[in-house]
Structure formats: structure tokens, C-alpha cells
Amino acid sequence: MIDTNNTPGTAHKLLKSIFGYSSFRDNQENVIEAITSGRDVFTSMPTGGGKSLCYQIPGLMFEGLTVVISPLIALMKDQVDEALSKGIPAAFLNSTLQKEEISQIYSKLNRKEIKLLYLSPERLAIEGYLEQLEQFNINFFAVDEAHCLSEWGHDFRPDYLILSSIRSHFPDVPMAAFTATATTKVQSDIIRILGLKDPLVVRASFNRQELNYQVKPKTEVLSQISGFIKNHPEESGIVYRLSRKDVSKTAAYLIGQGLKALPYHAGLSKEERSQNQEAFNKDEVDIIVATTAFGMGINKNNIRYVIHGDLPKSMEGYYQETGRAGRDGLDSQCVLFFSTGDISKQQYFIDQIDDPTEQVKAKDNLNRLIRYSTVNVCRRKQILEYFDEDHRGECGNCDICNDTTNKIEATIDGQKVLSAIIRTNEGFGINHIIDIVWGADTEKIRSRNHQELKTFGVGRDKSKKWWRNIITELIAQQAIYQDTERFNVLCLTSLGKDILFGKRDFYISDTAVSPEKEGLSRNDLLDRSDFQDDDLYKRLRDKRTEIAQENQVPPYIVFSDKTLKDMAQIKPQNEEEFLLVSGVGEKKLEVYGPLFLPIIRDYLEE
Ligand code: ADP
Ligand code: ZN
């Protein structure tokens, strides 16, 4: 399949003659060698890592045609123009072309004048298209942005699944998948869906050493942002905000402060957006204030900082957005302004999601970012962990490692939790351990006599949220871990033992919640049990009917359906908790508490 004129070293020659570079970057050569020897390949490399060359060079080395599949129709023309400018015979086919243009390309294909053909997935979806492709001498398929195949990626595109049929039409043609986003979950989806056979798997490091990561408590966000920017005069930067409204507000504020900024969001006209992007690209303005709509196709390499004025929606997104800084390899700053208020805002949006799997995913993503922003663990380590990449921490280039965050010593509180875990023989999960330390009156506590433990109630003076936070920190700092083989019970690591026995101190980040006792909240109860139990609901309804009949009143006078549903969800076990049910006041507590509470307790005991 390889052009017989190719001798060893051809890849190097092409690197020099076509691309003008004298040496390959890490991994590029392996990938090219595997592809040209006919092997399937999976490659994940961060954006800017140099993926295109990994399929363009083999494309030039093969005698026949290379097909590059890419979902980015808007960028296809640029990609092809760039290839043409280097003298690579390339063309693209997608829905933006006119009939005549398409037939011209086919004539060229027939005359074998094209080596690299870029195709959009929607072409492949056309009935009979793959069969039609069989007439050309295709030597190699490259799938770009392959994470679009996976529901675990941030950019899942159902239409990309059509790529799964390439393998059956071209069983022996090597195929290589490229992505900038692969967690191992995404990786295995891609390999499975494309049907890659024993692929060479190449995972470049996602570590961007030139980026400095910081999280700052968000107070007066507009003046915080402008304060940061004023300390970086004449430098290019992006400010991300979650909503269009905040983008406009922030841009106006910065302009009012005498800074050169422009907004960018999907609500602006196409012309305005591309004008603003151009102005930023050409350094006519320093700052672009944008929603996450801004990003695709930014090639500007001298972006010195990326500020997030709001909590991002996922680690994936945060990595991609911050990754736009420092493309030239020079030191750059990534600052995230964090407030707990942002959490409830996002929680609200997540609650509106209809699809339960999507909802769970969104919650996971949110929790990751909360943890990232709040725990006292090297930010880089946490980011890389998301990509399943080990990092020892102590990176020396984040606010945690540089010790510029405010930390609180919490050794004693850490010890309280650790001791509760040890005294219950590492046999319980987060919620129960919190209940012990906090001194909750639950059935599970009573049935195991845990109210007799020495640690029972030692943390009554602080909120449940605080204890949850301490546990989150202990997990993040690897002082304890959740044993997934045993119902996620908490166990101590050697570091945990060191803290417990006073050999090491335990510090937490002050971005976390305040330790004041806030009293019991509905959320505490929801943490304990967040599903509505239909069986319990039915029993509560039966009780209501009984009471209504006895008193000859309509049932809703006793409690509305909504109240009963809420009760079946948060499952109050004592009077204090009963008051937290929506629709229950002091009076109803007094009259009905004694009638409904035993039902819930009986139910939980079963
Ligand atoms: P990706 O597709 O992974 O985001 P690109 O293929 O666009 O990255 O490459 C990013 C930049 O790095 C491009 O300007 C490219 O020309 C350059 N590049 C790629 N490989 C090398 C190399 N071996 N030496 C120098 N520059 C390279
Ligand atoms: Zn660090």
C-alpha cells in the first residue's frame, strides 16, 4: 500500500519538506510508523499537540487515498486550505458545497489527484455512500475529534455513530482515531465503536506545565476581574462567563475601566462575532469576554490568561478553555473565581434536566469542579486525575503548591472523623460516619448502639455540611478512601493513620464552607435519602385517608399530595426533621407528627 518510492526516513523528509520542521514531537513518529505499517491506532493528545501531522504524513506516504473524518464542518475549509498551502493535494466534501463543486472533486478523485479527502459524518450517513467510496483506493481512515463518538465525552454527536459502519465496509484498511479529550472511558468507547483491531494506544500527557492554576474566593467578581487584568497590562486574555447577560455586563464594566475588551456570545450576530474574534486575533483588543461558545478554531498562541468568572460546568470544559492560554509555551495564568452561590445556581439548572442519565452526569461534573475548587490538593494533580493520568502533586505551579491559598488547620476535626471510622471498624460509609460525629438520632445509629461510641456527637457544635467537607478533604488528600468493593465504606490509609495519631497535621482550604452550625437543613435530609419511596408514600396516603375519614374532612386538609411526596422523600425521623417537610408548620407537627412519624420509623426499620 505504501508508495514504492518511499524509503525509510520518508516521514522525516516530509516533515522537513512539507511542514518545515526538523524533528518530530513525542509520540508523532510512533503513530506515523504504526499507521504506515497498517496498524490501527488510538491517539489522545492535548489540543495543539500536533495531531494533524500524524495523519497527514501517512496520507502522503500511502499510494492511494486517505479519508479524514471530521465533525467540524466550519473548520474543514480552513484545514483543507492550509493543507493545500503546504502543497498537500487535499479536498473536502460536506453539505456546504454546491453540486458543481462536488462533481469537480469526484473527477479529481477519479483521476487520483487527491490524496487527502476530508469528509463530514453526515456524508457517510447518506444511503449507499460507503459502498460508493469502495471504488476509490482508500488506504487509510483518520477519525479526528473521535471523542464525539462517546457519550462520556463533552461533545457527543449521535450522527458520529455512523462511523461504526466503516469497519465492516473496509475491514482491512487501517484506521486511526484522534482526540484531545480521552479519559479512559472515552477511549474504550472509541475503540469499541470504531472496531479498532489491537490498536497502538498512544496517550500523550495532558499536563500543561506552562499554565498556572488558581482558585480565588469570588466576592466582587467584576472588580476582581478588572483588578487581575490591570496587573497584566497589554496582555491578551479571555474572560469566560456563564450567561450572555454576564458577558455583556462584564465587557461593559471592563470598557468602563478603560480596558480594551469585546464581548462574544451566541446572541450576537455572526458578523459581530467574527469581527470581535478577528480584533482579538489581531491584538487590536486585549480581552475577549465570552461564553463557552467562544473557542472553536482559536489559533491565537499568545493568550496569557484565562479567567473564569463563574464555576465551569465540567472539568473537561475547564481544561479545554484554560488550554487556550499559553499555546506558545510561555507561562500563563488560569484563574477561577469560586463561590458556593454558584453551586446552587448550577444545581438549579441540573434539576431542570429531564433525562436522568444526563442529570447524573451533570451532577458528577459539578461535584468534580466543587472538589477541584475547594480541597487542599494540587490543582494540576486533580486536573490530570480527571484524564486518568497520575501526577505526584507538588507541581510548584498552582496556588495550592505555591501556598498562596488560605488554609485552615483542621487536625482535630480530621481526627474526630478518622476516629469514628476506626471505632466502627472501617465498616460504614460517608453518611453514617457524619451521623456519628454529628450525633444524629437515626435508626441505624440506634440499632447498632453507635450512640454509645466515644466519638458519638463530638462534632455536634458544627454543621453536617462541615463534616461532609472534612470527609471530602480527607478523601481528596488520600487520608481515607471509599472501598468500592464493600459498599463504599470508608477506610484509612497510612496518611490517615498519621493524622489520627498526631504525626501529621491536616489542613483544609478556606474556600470550603464555614464551620458555624447552621442547624439542620432539608439538604442534610436529602443527602441521607434522595429518592421518593412509593411504598412509603402509599402508607402515608393510607394514613391520611384514615385521618380524613375520622375527622370528616377532605384529605388535602390534612396534608397535600405534595407534602406527602416530600415526606416520602426526605423521610423525617424526629420532630425537628418533620418540620423540614414542605407544608408542615408547628401546628401540623403537633397534631400529625405523632401519627405520621411512627409510620416512617416503622418503614425504615423494615
Ligand atoms: P492539534 O491538531 O493536536 O490540536 P495541530 O496539528 O494543529 O495540533 O498542531 C499544533 C501546532 O503545532 C501546529 O502549528 C503544527 O504545525 C505544530 N507542530 C506539529 N508538529 C510539530 C513538530 N514536530 N515540530 C514543530 N511544530 C509542530
Ligand atoms: Zn500544584
Side-chain angles (χ1 to χ4, degrees):
M1 266 189 297
I2 301 265
D3 200 323
T4 42
N5 291 328
N6 285 322
T7 46
T10 308
H12 267 108
K13 281 185 201 148
L14 291 170
L15 178 71
K16 185 80 195 127
S17 64
I18 302 271
F19 298 90
Y21 300 133
S22 44
S23 59
F24 282 111
R25 288 190 184 151
D26 285 355
N27 303 310
Q28 285 178 327
E29 211 170 359
N30 299 345
V31 171
I32 293 171
E33 205 177 283
I35 295 170
T36 51
S37 66
R39 188 167 174 196
D40 287 347
V41 174
F42 169 89
T43 308
S44 79
M45 268 185 202
T47 310
K51 288 182 284 296
S52 346
L53 201 145
C54 295
Y55 55 80
Q56 288 172 333
I57 287 185
L60 288 165
M61 290 171 73
F62 283 120
E63 190 191 323
L65 182 67
T66 284
V67 172
V68 181
I69 316 228
S70 163
L72 306 175
I73 294 185
L75 294 185
M76 231 178 235
K77 186 171 180 311
D78 288 350
Q79 284 175 312
V80 167
D81 284 347
E82 209 193 321
L84 288 171
S85 77
K86 295 193 171 96
I88 302 173
F92 68 93
L93 284 173
N94 66 31
S95 53
T96 64
L97 293 181
Q98 306 292 325
K99 263 212 171 102
E100 305 87 74
E101 294 174 295
I102 294 182
S103 64
Q104 271 177 17
I105 291 171
Y106 276 110
S107 323
K108 280 191 181 174
L109 282 170
N110 284 323
R111 294 198 300 268
K112 302 190 183 350
E113 287 172 12
I114 292 172
K115 297 220 66 139
L116 231 60
L117 178 66
Y118 286 75
L119 280 185
S120 60
E122 105 260 340
R123 288 274 116 182
L124 297 182
I126 298 171
E127 183 75 32
Y129 200 83
L130 278 160
E131 283 82 357
Q132 206 185 320
L133 280 180
E134 282 171 19
Q135 61 177 299
F136 302 110
N137 177 20
I138 298 179
N139 286 167
F140 167 44
F141 282 94
V143 178
D144 207 0
E145 313 288 341
H147 57 278
C148 294
L149 281 165
S150 168
E151 289 194 55
W152 289 103
H154 65 303
D155 218 1
F156 174 57
R157 297 175 186 226
D159 62 339
Y160 229 48
L161 293 175
I162 185 75
L163 303 192
S164 65
S165 41
I166 297 178
R167 181 87 303 164
S168 50
H169 282 86
F170 298 91
D172 300 319
V173 177
M175 192 164 7
F178 297 88
T179 171
T181 60
T183 60
T184 42
K185 264 184 197 154
V186 175
Q187 173 181 323
S188 53
D189 271 4
I190 292 172
I191 292 176
R192 178 177 50 80
I193 295 169
L194 290 178
L196 300 186
K197 289 180 282 192
D198 179 33
L200 171 74
V201 173
V202 172
R203 298 175 61 91
S205 171
F206 276 63
N207 190 0
R208 297 279 312 273
Q209 298 188 10
E210 65 279 17
L211 300 186
N212 175 281
Y213 300 103
Q214 302 166 41
V215 179
K216 293 183 183 304
K218 172 169 164 181
T219 48
E220 301 282 328
V221 75
L222 293 182
S223 63
Q224 287 178 301
I225 293 172
S226 79
F228 178 92
I229 294 175
K230 284 177 184 165
N231 280 326
H232 295 260
E234 316 266 313
E235 290 183 359
S236 283
I238 309 177
V239 178
Y240 279 107
R241 301 294 322 253
L242 210 52
S243 71
R244 295 177 191 182
K245 207 178 91 210
D246 282 335
V247 166
S248 308
K249 215 164 85 182
T250 309
Y253 181 87
L254 296 179
I255 293 166
Q257 296 282 307
L259 297 165
K260 286 190 276 179
L262 283 173
Y264 186 105
H265 59 69
L268 300 175
S269 71
K270 214 174 158 192
E271 293 79 56
E272 210 170 343
R273 264 181 290 160
S274 62
Q275 268 171 22
N276 292 0
Q277 177 161 352
E278 265 312 288
F280 181 61
N281 273 337
K282 292 189 187 147
D283 286 337
E284 289 164 11
V285 295
D286 297 327
I287 308 142
I288 200 107
V289 185
T291 59
T292 53
F294 184 69
M296 281 285 198
I298 310 175
N299 290 319
K300 192 172 165 61
N301 68 4
N302 63 339
I303 298 174
R304 289 278 72 83
Y305 56 85
V306 171
I307 299 175
H308 281 76
D310 309 282
L311 193 62
K313 289 206 179 94
S314 69
M315 192 57 112
E316 180 78 59
Y318 188 62
Y319 179 81
Q320 299 298 340
E321 284 142 28
T322 51
R324 298 191 173 118
R327 286 281 174 77
D328 51 11
L330 300 179
D331 287 343
S332 308
Q333 315 276 318
C334 308
V335 184
L336 165 63
F337 288 102
F338 172 81
S339 83
T340 42
D342 280 1
I343 301 175
S344 27
K345 255 189 243 163
Q346 292 213 7
Q347 194 65 55
Y348 174 80
F349 289 114
I350 291 173
D351 288 342
Q352 316 296 311
I353 300 175
D354 286 331
D355 181 345
T357 24
E358 282 305 307
Q359 201 176 40
V360 168
K361 230 183 268 175
K363 264 189 201 165
D364 268 7
N365 281 332
L366 175 61
N367 285 336
R368 273 237 176 218
L369 270 156
I370 298 173
R371 200 167 70 204
Y372 172 79
S373 315
T374 53
V375 302
N376 182 21
V377 172
C378 170
R379 313 273 184 210
R380 189 177 314 278
K381 180 178 168 62
Q382 294 195 67
I383 291 174
L384 292 175
E385 233 160 50
Y386 175 80
F387 292 104
D388 302 309
E389 188 175 330
D390 275 337
H391 187 281
R392 65 186 166 81
E394 296 169 23
C395 75
N397 198 17
C398 79
D399 55 353
I400 299 282
C401 298
N402 295 342
D403 215 6
T404 54
T405 56
N406 290 327
K407 289 169 194 168
I408 305 171
E409 209 230 89
T411 312
I412 304 257
D413 282 353
Q415 288 169 339
K416 286 178 179 171
V417 167
L418 294 167
S419 137
I421 296 171
I422 287 288
R423 282 171 196 275
T424 50
N425 301 319
E426 304 183 314
F428 295 88
I430 296 178
N431 290 331
H432 191 67
I433 295 296
I434 294 176
D435 280 345
I436 293 175
V437 176
W438 191 68
D441 178 21
T442 69
E443 195 43 50
K444 198 165 169 182
I445 296 267
R446 269 178 270 125
S447 67
R448 290 175 169 77
N449 260 332
H450 282 168
Q451 73 278 16
E452 307 287 331
L453 292 172
K454 239 180 137 178
T455 27
F456 181 80
V458 287
R460 212 172 255 134
D461 56 326
K462 291 177 181 163
S463 69
K464 274 194 169 182
K465 248 188 182 162
W466 170 259
W467 294 110
R468 182 170 299 278
N469 181 50
I470 293 282
I471 292 184
T472 307
E473 282 272 7
L474 286 167
I475 294 175
Q477 298 185 31
Q478 294 167 355
I480 55 179
Y481 63 94
Q482 292 178 284
D483 188 344
T484 46
E485 317 247 287
R486 288 195 300 139
F487 311 104
N488 282 331
V489 300
L490 296 173
C491 306
L492 269 64
T493 63
S494 59
L495 171 64
K497 286 174 194 150
D498 284 353
I499 296 171
L500 178 61
F501 299 123
K503 290 189 201 147
R504 269 179 85 148
D505 288 338
F506 171 59
Y507 285 89
I508 66 171
S509 157
D510 83 336
T511 32
V513 290
S514 69
E516 285 93 59
K517 182 169 163 68
E518 295 164 25
L520 191 64
S521 79
R522 279 176 56 80
N523 278 341
D524 289 332
L525 298 186
L526 284 171
D527 280 347
R528 198 172 62 197
S529 149
D530 59 0
F531 62 97
Q532 179 203 315
D533 217 303
D534 290 337
D535 191 27
L536 175 59
Y537 179 56
K538 190 177 165 300
R539 292 194 208 179
L540 296 172
R541 280 176 61 119
D542 289 349
K543 188 72 191 169
R544 176 179 67 175
T545 314
E546 187 190 314
I547 298 170
Q549 279 168 358
E550 259 170 38
N551 298 299
Q552 298 192 342
V553 292
Y556 70 82
I557 296 286
V558 180
F559 279 134
S560 70
D561 283 357
K562 187 167 172 288
T563 297
L564 289 191
K565 279 187 179 157
D566 197 43
M567 207 180 288
Q569 184 168 8
I570 71 176
K571 306 181 190 64
Q573 291 168 35
N574 53 41
E575 297 197 340
E576 186 192 359
E577 294 179 2
F578 199 73
L579 267 178
L580 293 171
V581 176
S582 145
V584 175
E586 299 283 348
K587 178 76 190 159
K588 292 218 165 168
L589 167 66
E590 189 189 320
V591 182
Y592 299 123
L595 301 173
F596 284 86
L597 276 170
I599 296 178
I600 299 168
R601 283 198 207 114
D602 285 350
Y603 175 81
L604 289 175
E605 243 160 72
E606 287 167 23

